[in-house]
Amino acid sequence: MTPSWVFTGKWDERQMTNKFGLDARRDNIDVALYNTTARDRFNTVRSDKVVQTGMGLYYENTLQ
């Protein structure tokens, strides 16, 4: 769940919506490269783990 805040109002008799929010994401990925014969794995060439975290703020404005 990402938190967001919505504020509504009018601008010159037109409906306006402003939205602010925070977004966060974390990825845990296991990646490997194998030697194969007829799609059967017989040897691990390389095995890696990727852990990545990202956060961001956003703003959205809608004018009817």
Side-chain angles (χ1 to χ4, degrees), residues 46-58:
R46 182 176 178 152
S47 180
D48 295 303
K49 183 171 179 81
V50 177
V51 178
Q52 183 175 0
T53 303
M55 293 182 69
L57 299 171
Y58 66 88

Side-chain angles (χ1 to χ4, degrees), residues 7-59:
F7 304 96
T8 58
K10 290 200 177 242
W11 185 60
D12 195 26
E13 300 301 319
R14 299 171 90 182
Q15 183 65 34
M16 182 173 61
T17 305
N18 293 293
K19 183 177 181 180
F20 298 89
L22 173 68
D23 190 28
R25 177 179 171 152
R26 182 171 180 93
D27 294 319
N28 293 313
I29 305 168
D30 292 317
V31 182
L33 179 63
Y34 302 99
N35 286 329
T36 61
T37 300
R39 296 188 182 185
D40 291 327
R41 298 176 185 170
F42 66 88
N43 183 34
T44 303
V45 176
R46 182 176 178 152
S47 180
D48 295 303
K49 183 171 179 81
V50 177
V51 178
Q52 183 175 0
T53 303
M55 293 182 69
L57 299 171
Y58 66 88
Y59 167 74

